[in-house]
């Protein structure tokens, strides 16, 4: 069998478009790092140190966090979740500060909810200022039960500032929960959950986020032949943030809505 080869210019570009059901994300890097599908590099053009052996641990952590942000955004935009959730832990039921115990109990709960209730999710764990663990995420309920959340003083149903009803999730048994229907601005909610992976966030369970196995994890991608001028792109979209990748390579991205698109 003949082995086909191509030049770097044939295979790589510094720009690509990630195609989601309701939006498109244009990514532009300062180097040609995006490879066309079906091609594999014969040799790596840069060295990646073993895990935990990077010369700059802070930069390595920033790169890992940036990749996690991109992965959570991909999952959020590739799937249609119906609710935004917040889970806290009841100190009388679980040690909220014990990472191993929380991981074991929460992982077991998620498996049961997925298997028995059809619950689908992408969830970001987070430390409170006092070190207690809590969770934010997007979910599709399946047959998980909700009840209206009420003001404990007045007994009146609670609503967000935008008028969305607030519910409690009856099948979350490890503490308190709120569950809010996602409104028509789905992309805003997707971007909101990504913000929990901020520069101060930590990898709590050895991973940045938890997600159902049956979700679509990645969008279709289209390479832009010939690439784009990175400096000019940054000038045109100054609000776009720069993401460090490796060495001196970085990229930025801009999101555009798809007319008539739908995440459902």
């Amino acid at each position: 069998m003949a082995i086909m080869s191509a030049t770097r210019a044939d295979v790589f570009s510094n720009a690509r478009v990630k195609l989601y059901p309701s939006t498109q994300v244009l990514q532009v890097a300062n180097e040609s790092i995006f490879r066309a599908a079906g091609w594999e590099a014969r040799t790596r053009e840069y060295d990646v140190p073993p895990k935990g052996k990077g010369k700059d641990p802070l930069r390595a952590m920033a790169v890992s966090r940036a990749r996690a942000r991109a992965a959570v955004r991909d999952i959020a935009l590739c799937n249609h979740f119906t609710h935004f959730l917040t889970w806290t832990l009841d100190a009388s039921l679980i040690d909220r500060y014990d990472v191993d115990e929380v991981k074991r109990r929460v992982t077991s709960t998620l498996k049961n909810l997925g298997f028995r209730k059809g619950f689908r999710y992408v969830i970001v764990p987070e430390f409170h200022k006092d070190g207690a663990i809590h969770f934010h995420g997007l979910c599709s309920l399946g047959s998980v039960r909700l009840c209206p959340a009420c003001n404990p003083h007045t007994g009146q149903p609670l609503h967000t500032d935008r008028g969305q009803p607030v519910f409690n999730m009856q099948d979350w048994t490890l503490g308190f929960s709120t569950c809010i229907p996602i409104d028509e601005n789905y992309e805003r909610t997707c971007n909101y959950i990504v913000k929990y992976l901020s520069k101060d966030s930590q990898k709590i369970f050895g991973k940045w986020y938890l997600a159902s196995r049956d979700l679509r994890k990645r969008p279709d991608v289209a390479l832009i032949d010939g690439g784009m001028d990175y400096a000019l792109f940054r000038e045109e979209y100054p609000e776009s943030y720069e993401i460090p990748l490796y060495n001196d390579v970085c990229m930025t991205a801009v999101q555009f809505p798809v007319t008539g698109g739908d995440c459902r």
Side-chain angles (χ1 to χ4, degrees):
M1 178 183 295
I3 299 176
M4 297 181 63
S5 61
T7 66
R8 182 175 180 82
D10 293 330
V11 177
F12 286 83
S13 174
N14 78 318
R16 67 181 182 183
V17 179
K18 301 177 80 172
L19 306 168
Y20 303 96
S22 63
T23 192
Q24 295 182 355
V25 176
L26 173 59
Q27 296 179 324
V28 182
N30 61 348
E31 297 286 346
S32 295
I33 60 171
F34 304 127
R35 185 171 63 238
W39 295 93
E40 295 294 334
R42 290 183 177 178
T43 59
R44 180 174 280 160
E45 299 183 359
Y46 56 92
D47 293 327
V48 177
K51 186 176 182 180
K53 302 295 184 179
K55 295 181 180 179
D56 187 343
L58 291 178
R59 180 177 176 84
M61 182 65 70
V63 171
S64 176
R65 187 182 295 110
R67 288 174 176 167
R69 287 169 62 94
V72 169
R73 182 179 286 108
D74 279 351
I75 293 171
L77 291 173
C78 282
N79 302 274
H80 182 74
F81 297 102
T82 58
H83 290 74
F84 178 89
L85 68 83
T86 298
W87 286 345
T88 60
L89 300 168
D90 186 336
S92 67
L93 300 173
I94 185 172
D95 186 346
R96 300 178 297 171
Y97 306 93
D98 186 325
V99 172
D100 291 334
E101 181 183 358
V102 172
K103 178 182 179 181
R104 177 176 56 81
R105 299 279 298 278
V106 171
T107 298
S108 176
T109 297
L110 288 171
K111 286 182 179 179
N112 285 332
L113 290 177
F115 180 73
R116 299 179 184 277
K117 301 281 187 174
F119 184 69
R120 300 166 72 241
Y121 59 87
V122 56
I123 293 175
V124 178
E126 185 181 34
F127 284 120
H128 273 297
K129 291 182 179 179
D130 68 353
I133 300 171
H134 64 288
F135 304 85
H136 302 282
L138 306 178
C139 67
S140 295
L141 296 172
S143 59
V144 166
R145 299 167 297 163
L146 299 181
C147 63
C150 295
N151 185 310
H153 303 292
T154 66
Q156 296 299 309
L158 294 176
H159 293 79
T160 68
D161 294 339
R162 296 198 299 273
Q164 299 151 287
V166 180
F167 296 94
N168 297 134
M169 189 178 292
Q170 293 176 283
D171 293 299
W172 170 249
T173 59
L174 296 177
F176 182 74
S177 67
T178 60
C179 194
I180 301 169
I182 298 174
D183 62 16
E184 68 280 357
N185 198 328
Y186 186 83
E187 287 75 26
R188 177 177 59 193
T189 306
C190 293
N191 291 331
Y192 185 71
I193 189 65
V194 172
K195 290 182 180 179
Y196 286 105
L197 291 167
S198 68
K199 65 179 180 179
D200 297 321
S201 61
Q202 300 180 45
K203 189 185 290 187
I204 298 177
F205 302 136
K207 55 181 66 177
W208 293 103
Y209 62 92
L210 309 171
S212 301
R213 292 185 177 183
D214 59 345
L215 297 174
R216 182 178 179 187
K217 299 300 197 299
R218 295 180 181 84
D220 294 328
V221 176
L223 224 61
I224 297 179
D225 293 337
M228 300 179 67
D229 188 296
Y230 184 76
L232 291 178
F233 186 80
R234 291 282 288 154
E235 289 181 10
E236 186 174 356
Y237 297 99
E239 74 283 359
S240 62
Y241 59 90
E242 197 166 59
I243 304 169
L245 298 178
Y246 56 85
N247 297 339
D248 295 322
V249 178
C250 52
M251 75 173 187
T252 188
V254 175
Q255 187 169 315
F256 302 97
V258 174
T259 303
D262 190 359
C263 283
R264 298 176 193 275

